[in-house]
Every structure is written in structure tokens, then in C-alpha cells.
């Protein structure tokens, strides 16, 4: 298992190039951590999105798959029957002297859902990344997020021509209050906009919370 | 990385590291609980405990320890349970790990997150 994500950080022309350090210890004053989960099918751009906003090079690790009846052939890092594992990656954004935000890239397919229970409870919310050529990859994740009441936004990564956002909304059967936007996960500004949209969405759900548009 | 690499070729290695225990009865430590060393490693410690203590002289999340040690998160949780028991490390509290739904966060936190994102 590599300790660094295998994919290099890819930067599209026009976006800001940065070199994220490999090791970047938190300040000693940091006392609480927040989580946002980026979920989607293989190759949809999860690692790219984490890498484009993370203050350190994304790290990759794994969790033991304990669920009975898992489809072992499809899993990465299969060791033996007892220690089947699933990989995920993550990055980090320091918020202020006491808070840090962790961003997780997690496979959204049904067989990986156990990861959510163990790793992502207490998340602020989720970003569902969608490739319009493989929208069915997102159905299960959207269904579970809705079922658990986890706030989420949907970001469409364009890999080529595809249906417009209204068609995507219909195909995913998304209710109108779920924010849906386009993004290019390779661009930091674009990935940042997706995160900002999620935080606005969270704020608007908070009862008696602040009005995000006014505060900006 | 200042740790001895764990021998990933040996299939029973995970079992050995955690002394054959499963994680089921361990208290759940949040994946981003921040771990801080409270003491120096001692010579009689197992190498994984020593490695953890060296990595958490500054706060470090459970998942970061997992990535640095190249051990699955649940194995790191078990290793940390020993260190928490003896007080060699402490965990700074994070989001509640009981609620199944997304935790509710105060507006100040969301505001600070927005400001940090705008600085990116
Ligand atoms: N056109 C386009 N390509 C992307 C985008 N995001 C990621 N990619 C590319 O898609 C490939 C897979 O991305 P990756 O982040 O590894 O996907 P993951 O499996 O979800 O982690 C990489 O070659 C990326 O450069 C995007 O927004 N637009
Ligand atoms: Mg990936």
C-alpha cells in the first residue's frame, strides 16, 4: 500500500500550480477536526479533487473490509479471507489555529458503503462526483446519503460532451433543493467552488443559522 | 517517515501487530480524532507503539497515522487503544461518532470554513 496517492497531482492549464508538501504537521494548537467526503465511481476525479485543494500531498490508506458477502474479486488490496481491505485517500485544509478540515475521497459503490459507517460518521456533508457517461455509478451513494439525511451537493465532472444539468438532475432523480453544478476537479478554483457550494448548502440547512450570502 | 516499514508480505502480520485481537469490542475512535503524544517512547514498547509516539509529537489524525504507518485504520485504532489506556497519548475530541446523520455544526464553524476556502 503506498503512503502517497499513486496519481500525480495534475494541474490544468490556467489553474494555479502548487507543490503540496509531503509531510506538513498540524499546529500544536489544533484541537478539532471536521470531515467532508467526496464520493463517486472509479476514475471520476475524487483523488484529483482532493489533491487540487489539499495543503499537503494526498495520502492514501486502507480499511479492513469486514462485511460478509463482499465481492472480493473487485476489491483492491485483497490479502486473504480475513483481511480484505479497501483503499481511500484524503487531504487536509487548515481552517484556523484550532480547526482542520479533512477531505476524503471514497468509492461510492455499494460494496464500499461500510466505509461510511466506520470512517465518515460526523461528516459535515458530502460531494457526489458524477461522470455523465456513468451516472449509474452515483445512484447508490445518492440513495444512501438521502436515506441517512447527510447533506450533499452533486458536481458533474465533464470528461466530454454530455447532457446538460437539468437532464442530469432528472436522470439522478435529484430533488430541487440539492445543489447541482459543473466542475473540473483538476482546477483548484473549481474544486474550491464545489466545497463552497456545499458549505452554503449546510449553512442554509442550519436552523436559525447565519445567512452565508450576507457574510461574504 | 521515521518508522520501520511493516512487512506487508506476511499474511498474519495484522494479527501479530494487534496481538490477535479483533476490533469489535474496542471503543470507537473517530477517523479524524487528533492524537497527541504525552510521553516519550520507552524501550520495552512494541515498534508500532514507538512509531506512533514519534509521529504524534504534534497533533495527527487517526487516518494520517494509518497512512504513515501503512496499516489499516482499524489496526491503528487497536494500537491506539493501548496507548490511550496507559496515558501515553491523548485524543483531542472531534465530531460525535454516535449520530448516524450528518452532525450539526455551529454557524461560526461554517463561517470559518468558508473563509479558509476563500483563502485557497
Ligand atoms: N476532463 C476531466 N478529467 C478529469 C477531471 N477530474 C479528474 N480527471 C482525470 O480523470 C482521471 C481519473 O481521476 P482520479 O482523480 O484518479 O479519479 P478517482 O478514481 O475518482 O480518484 C485522471 O486522469 C484525471 O486527470 C475533470 O474534472 N475533468
Ligand atoms: Mg482515486
Amino acid at each position: 500500500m503506498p503512503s502517497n496517492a499513486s496519481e500525480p497531482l495534475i494541474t490544468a492549464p490556467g489553474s494555479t500550480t502548487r507543490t503540496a508538501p509531503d509531510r506538513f504537521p498540524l499546529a500544536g494548537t489544533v484541537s478539532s477536526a471536521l470531515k467532508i467526503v467526496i464520493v463517486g465511481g472509479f476514475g471520476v476525479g475524487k483523488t484529483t479533487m482532493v489533491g487540487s485543494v489539499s495543503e499537503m500531498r494526498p495520502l492514501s490508506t486502507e480499511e479492513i473490509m469486514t462485511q460478509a458477502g463482499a465481492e472480493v474479486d473487485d476489491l483492491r488490496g485483497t490479502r486473504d479471507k480475513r483481511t480484505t481491505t479497501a483503499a481511500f485517500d484524503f487531504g487536509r485544509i487548515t481552517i484556523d489555529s484550532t480547526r482542520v478540515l479533512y477531505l476524503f475521497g471514497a468509492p461510492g459503490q455499494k460494496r464500499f458503503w461500510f466505509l461510511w459507517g466506520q470512517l465518515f460518521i460526523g461528516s459535515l456533508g458530502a460531494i457526489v462526483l458524477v461522470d455523465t457517461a456513468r451516472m449509474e455509478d452515483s445512484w447508490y451513494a445518492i440513495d444512501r446519503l438521502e436515506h441517512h439525511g447527510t447533506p450533499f451537493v452533486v458536481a458533474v465532472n465533464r470528461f466530454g460532451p454530455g447532457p446538460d444539468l437539468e437532464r442530469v438532475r432528472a436522470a439522478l432523480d435529484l430533488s430541487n433543493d440539492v445543489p447541482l453544478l459543473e466542475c473540473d476537479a483538476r482546477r483548484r478554483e473549481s474544486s474550491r467552488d464545489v466545497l463552497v457550494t456545499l458549505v452554503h448548502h449546510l449553512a442554509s440547512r442550519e436552523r436559525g443559522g447565519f445567512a452565508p450570502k450576507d457574510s461574504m | 517517515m521515521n518508522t520501520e516499514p511493516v512487512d506487508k508480505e506476511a499474511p498474519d502480520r495484522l494479527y501479530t501487530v494487534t496481538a490477535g485481537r479483533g476490533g469489535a469490542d474496542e471503543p470507537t475512535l473517530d477517523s479524524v480524532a487528533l492524537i497527541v503524544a504525552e510521553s516519550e517512547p520507552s524501550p520495552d514498547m512494541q515498534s508500532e507503539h514507538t512509531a506512533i509516539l514519534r509521529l504524534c509529537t504534534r497533533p495527527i489524525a487517526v487516518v494520517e497515522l494509518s497512512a504513515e504507518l501503512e496499516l489499516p485504520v482499524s489496526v491503528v485504532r487497536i494500537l491506539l487503544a493501548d496507548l490511550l489506556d496507559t496515558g501515553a497519548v491523548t485524543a483531542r475530541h472531534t465530531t460525535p461518532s454516535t449520530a448516524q446523520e450528518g452532525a450539526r455544526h455551529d454557524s461560526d464553524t461554517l463561517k470559518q470554513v468558508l473563509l479558509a476556502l476563500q483563502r485557497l
Side-chain angles (χ1 to χ4, degrees):
Chain A
M1 178 181 61
S3 66
N4 278 322
S6 47
E7 301 92 336
L9 297 181
I10 293 167
T11 314
S15 78
T16 324
T17 310
R18 298 177 304 160
T19 337
D22 280 354
R23 286 227 60 205
F24 184 181
L26 291 171
T29 51
V30 176
S31 59
S32 69
L34 306 161
K35 291 175 262 201
I36 287 176
V37 184
I38 300 165
V39 59
F42 283 114
V44 77
K46 302 179 297 293
T47 302
T48 306
M49 179 171 274
V50 169
S52 70
V53 291
S54 178
E55 66 196 14
M56 67 183 190
R57 198 183 160 82
L59 293 172
S60 169
T61 190
E62 62 185 5
E63 181 54 301
I64 298 174
M65 188 108 174
T66 50
Q67 204 164 55
E71 295 159 56
V72 171
D73 316 347
D74 289 341
L75 288 171
R76 240 186 85 180
T78 300
R79 282 200 178 103
D80 59 31
K81 287 194 187 81
R82 195 181 61 241
T83 58
T84 301
T85 61
F88 63 96
D89 40 33
F90 62 94
R92 193 178 79 196
I93 300 170
T94 295
I95 303 302
D96 58 22
S97 60
T98 63
R99 287 175 280 209
V100 60
L101 170 64
Y102 284 89
L103 299 172
F104 289 94
Q109 296 91 318
K110 187 171 187 173
R111 62 187 179 278
F112 295 118
W113 193 255
F114 82 103
L115 275 172
W116 287 80
Q118 294 176 30
L119 295 173
F120 306 138
I121 285 175
S123 299
L124 281 174
I127 293 164
V128 179
L129 267 186
V130 173
D131 174 355
T132 55
R134 294 174 298 159
M135 281 200 275
E136 63 283 1
D137 283 3
S138 329
W139 287 341
Y140 186 75
I142 289 172
D143 186 61
R144 297 323 294 164
L145 291 168
E146 280 173 346
H147 183 260
H148 287 286
T150 305
F152 66 99
V153 301
V154 178
V156 175
N157 247 3
R158 292 285 181 197
F159 290 88
D164 64 23
L165 288 184
E166 277 322 301
R167 286 192 165 161
V168 173
R169 187 179 287 282
L172 295 176
D173 198 19
L174 280 185
S175 70
N176 280 328
D177 53 1
V178 176
L180 173 67
L181 70 165
E182 315 231 3
C183 81
D184 185 332
R186 298 164 300 180
R187 294 183 55 241
R188 193 194 339 170
E189 299 81 355
S190 181
S191 297
R192 190 251 323 267
D193 288 348
V194 177
L195 287 164
V196 167
T197 302
L198 175 63
V199 177
H200 280 155
H201 182 55
L202 298 172
S204 73
R205 287 169 49 112
E206 291 293 327
R207 194 159 22 96
F210 76 110
K213 293 261 154 49
D214 299 341
S215 71
M216 290 183 63
Chain B
M1 200 163 108
N2 52 2
T3 60
E4 286 293 305
V6 168
D7 179 6
K8 291 190 292 295
E9 302 309 308
D12 291 332
R13 178 61 176 157
L14 293 178
Y15 231 47
T16 312
V17 164
T18 58
R21 289 178 298 156
D25 53 350
E26 301 292 331
T28 305
L29 198 55
D30 195 280
S31 58
V32 297
L34 298 170
I35 307 300
V36 188
E38 301 294 345
S39 66
E40 299 282 317
S42 62
D44 57 323
M45 275 180 178
Q46 76 181 84
S47 64
E48 288 80 11
H49 284 158
T50 303
I52 289 174
L53 285 180
R54 292 205 174 115
L55 285 166
C56 62
T57 52
R58 300 266 286 270
I60 185 169
V62 172
V63 286
E64 282 178 287
L65 285 170
S66 162
E68 295 283 351
L69 296 168
E70 303 191 7
L71 288 171
V73 180
S74 46
V75 173
V76 171
R77 279 202 182 101
I78 292 167
L79 290 165
L80 283 170
D82 300 332
L83 294 169
L84 286 162
D85 275 353
T86 61
V89 302
T90 50
R92 294 187 180 172
H93 203 69
T94 60
T95 44
S97 55
T98 44
Q100 188 60 35
E101 291 169 20
R104 297 193 82 76
H105 294 271
D106 60 86
S107 60
D108 175 63
T109 299
L110 295 179
K111 213 178 275 186
Q112 294 309 318
V113 171
L114 270 185
L115 289 172
L117 292 173
Q118 282 153 11
R119 282 193 299 268
L120 279 180

